[in-house]
Amino acid sequence: MAILIFAEHQNGKPNKTAKELASYAAALAEQTGDQTLALGFGITEPGELYQYGIQKVLNVDDARFGTFNAMAYAQALQQAAAQTGANLIITGQSADGMYLTPLLAGLMKAAYVSQVISLPESTDPFTVKRKSFSNKAIATVALKGDVKILNIAKNSFGLKEKAVDGSMETFQPQVDDAVFEDIKSVKVEKATGKVPLGDAEIIVSAGRGLKGPENWGMIEELAEVLGAATACSKPVADMGWRPHTEHVGQTGKQVAPNLYIAIGISGAIQHLAGVNSSKNILVINIDPEAPFFKAADYGVVGDAFEVVPKLIEKLKAFKAEH
Amino acid sequence: MKILLMLSVVPDTTSKINFTDNDTKFDKTGIQFVINPHDEFGLTKAMQLKEKHGGELHVVHVGPQTNESVIRKTLAIGADKAFRIDAEPADSYYTAVQLAEFLKDKDYDLIIAGRESIDYNGNAVHGIVAALTGLRFINAVIGLEINGDEVTVDREIEGGRETLQTKLPLLVGGQKGLVKEEELRIPNMRGIMMARRKPLEVLQPVDAPVMTEYLKFEKPPAKSAVKLVDKDNLDQLIDLLHNEAKVI
Ligand SMILES: Cc1cc2nc3c(=O)[nH]c(=O)nc-3n(C[C@H](O)[C@H](O)[C@H](O)COP(=O)(O)OP(=O)(O)OC[C@H]3O[C@@H](n4cnc5c(N)ncnc54)[C@H](O)[C@@H]3O)c2cc1C
Ligand SMILES: Nc1ncnc2c1ncn2[C@@H]1O[C@H](COP(=O)(O)O)[C@@H](O)[C@H]1O
């Protein structure tokens, strides 16, 4: 049997999500003895996939697949699974991963579980743990059926190296031109030179306590010093102080960085739902009674306009030394 | 234009989550159920499209009779007719088969779902329906413009948005951004009165496989108490982040 991952990449090199999925597949294969496979679309430097335990990379080298198309990619994954006998398919919690996975589950009549946070507890029956109720609970779920699909929550498994001698071969899926015609990408707008929220190790997030959009300079500076992404609470996005793509929480993005810094955010239950699987939380708030302190690992009670500039200075000095 | 909203009914966002039967079942006691927030954006979008292009808005929900008050709310906001498929939505695949079956003899131009239900956070039902029916499908939709047969859709991608060109009929998974927060509609008295007379048809489910089973729930491990650092001693904070948390 075999395990197949959907390996996303940037400029031909596997991205962090791909490496995390590879780590997951390799750790599972160690228990089951399965072969580890990856399907990529335009991978030119597969080396890091081998480093994280993928034995064989199937690469689609067909110009039509140059731009992401969910149905075309899902059909390609289905065909790759059929050809290799893969009965477990693993995808990531990226925008593209979350788009194509339910389609793939429907195409393959598979048992599909998203938000997975751990290796299977047992493989017969096949059970995994997943987040549910917006991080307010963890559920153990059994998957039935011949084909199983797991969508792994970001930053939940981590990167674990396990170098193998891998190889890459070309894979040519049979997908109708009509599929590419059905839905066409016409424009992509991306904030350039910024760390994407989903991939960030550190997130600096700010709320209504900052009083107005003109005060975000220090938030961006703090993020820059830390190599962090910026985020915000819902009202901040609703009022247009920050773009919607930065809104985290139950109705925004779910994030799980190593460090989440919340500045001037009260810590409403809907906000916490999107951030409470962060490994560490630092809260800076003027109100010692702010509910966020109950969910925090570290806290500073103080005025953001005083604490943040000081913290930036101290961090700059720290970074210069380390 | 004929529009369908696929409605998911979920616990209110402020709900305390508890479990019964030896932590195997979600405890519904005292829980208030609401329209899934992502579907709420879709409902308002559907109303706006209906007002602009004319046509009809239907709602379909797979779930028990106890959810009818939430279905009525969509009628009070302005949907014209609702269908309830009388079954516990046992899992995403099972639910998707019911909806695909429902769609078989219908001709909706646009089907609006949500990106995910905020209870089980599946991100599943709508995509599986698309695969089962062969409908064009776009997920995480934050913008939708219809011009005759041509449809322009924006979806959220990592750190930005992608604009896609497609055609009707179409199924979308909507989310916040689809309409502005302040445009979100709530029922008024007249709407609530009218909703009582609008049709809510109950349909029987078909046999369908259940592919996943929830065996057990647990609460995430409790956080240990916060370590407070004095605002005049930020060196200590940096030390903790560096040596204890090892994040910088
Ligand atoms: C259905 C629903 C869904 C929702 N989904 C989300 C969601 O996904 N994400 C989300 O974030 N919210 C969500 N909310 C809103 C949520 O309930 C809160 O209203 C929101 O999170 C509050 O944002 P805030 O903390 O920035 O603002 P506030 O609650 O106004 O808090 C501001 C904080 O800043 C502090 N402060 C003030 N001045 C300073 C200063 N000078 N220095 C330091 N601190 C200061 C205050 O003490 C306070 O704690 C949702 C609500 C509903 C009803
Ligand atoms: N029981 C249901 N009845 C009708 N539509 C549903 C149901 N469950 C989910 N959906 C739709 O599918 C979307 C994704 O749901 P989920 O897969 O549960 O995260 C929801 O936002 C709804 O639009």
Side-chain angles (χ1 to χ4, degrees), chain B residues 5-9 36 38-39 60-63 89 92 95 99 112-127 174:
Chain B
L5 178 78
M6 301 203 310
L7 171 72
S8 181
V9 172
N36 182 38
H38 298 294
D39 304 358
V60 64
H61 172 65
V62 181
S92 338
T95 307
L99 294 164
I112 301 185
R115 164 187 98 188
E116 65 177 22
S117 307
I118 61 157
D119 49 359
Y120 292 93
N121 311 101
N123 174 38
V125 170
H126 53 337

Side-chain angles (χ1 to χ4, degrees), chain A residues 99 130 133 234 253 298, chain B residues 119-120 137 156 181 244:
Chain A
Y99 183 177
R130 79 186 299 270
F133 292 95
K234 179 169 178 284
K253 269 216 180 56
Y298 305 101
Chain B
D119 49 359
Y120 292 93
F137 169 57
E156 186 170 304
E181 190 77 16
E244 189 181 80

Side-chain angles (χ1 to χ4, degrees), chain A residues 206-211 218 232-236 238-239 241 247-254 260 262-274 284-292 300-307, chain B residues 12-14 34-35 37 40 118 176 181:
Chain A
R208 200 146 56 180
L210 273 252
K211 316 267 190 291
M218 64 180 187
C232 67
S233 67
K234 179 169 178 284
V236 164
D238 290 343
M239 292 181 293
W241 295 2
H247 157 208
V248 296
Q250 186 156 25
T251 50
K253 269 216 180 56
Q254 315 258 325
Y260 183 80
I263 303 167
I265 303 177
S266 58
I269 191 163
Q270 298 96 346
H271 186 85
L272 295 181
I284 301 173
N285 198 303
I286 202 163
D287 174 11
E289 302 294 323
F292 220 139
V300 179
V301 177
D303 185 341
F305 295 96
E306 183 191 331
V307 175
Chain B
D12 176 73
T13 55
T14 55
V34 297
I35 301 173
E40 213 175 336
I118 61 157
K176 188 185 143 159
E181 190 77 16

Side-chain angles (χ1 to χ4, degrees), chain B residues 10-83:
Chain B
V10 299
D12 176 73
T13 55
T14 55
S15 306
K16 295 260 181 303
I17 304 298
N18 288 303
F19 302 98
T20 59
D21 293 21
N22 246 332
D23 288 337
T24 58
K25 282 206 174 63
F26 172 54
D27 185 358
K28 293 185 176 178
T29 330
I31 296 284
Q32 190 182 348
F33 284 87
V34 297
I35 301 173
N36 182 38
H38 298 294
D39 304 358
E40 213 175 336
F41 288 100
L43 174 58
T44 296
K45 185 74 199 181
M47 286 300 298
Q48 292 174 350
L49 289 169
K50 187 181 106 160
E51 284 154 14
K52 188 165 167 204
H53 301 277
E56 234 181 302
L57 171 60
H58 292 178
V59 174
V60 64
H61 172 65
V62 181
Q65 199 208 338
T66 44
N67 287 347
E68 283 193 0
S69 58
V70 184
I71 301 177
R72 286 275 174 217
K73 200 173 156 195
T74 65
L75 295 171
I77 289 172
D80 301 294
K81 178 173 183 179
F83 299 89

Side-chain angles (χ1 to χ4, degrees), chain A residues 36-93:
Chain A
T36 50
L37 305 164
L39 181 69
F41 299 82
I43 290 188
T44 51
E45 297 177 54
E48 284 184 305
L49 287 172
Y50 311 148
Q51 198 181 325
Y52 288 92
I54 294 296
Q55 292 159 334
K56 193 155 102 184
V57 176
L58 304 174
N59 184 51
V60 177
D61 183 19
D62 173 338
R64 296 181 305 167
F65 290 85
T67 313
F68 176 80
N69 178 298
M71 190 42 134
Y73 277 40
Q75 289 185 7
L77 276 159
Q78 180 184 20
Q79 290 169 20
Q83 189 180 311
T84 58
N87 52 3
L88 177 63
I89 304 173
I90 301 178
T91 61
Q93 198 188 20

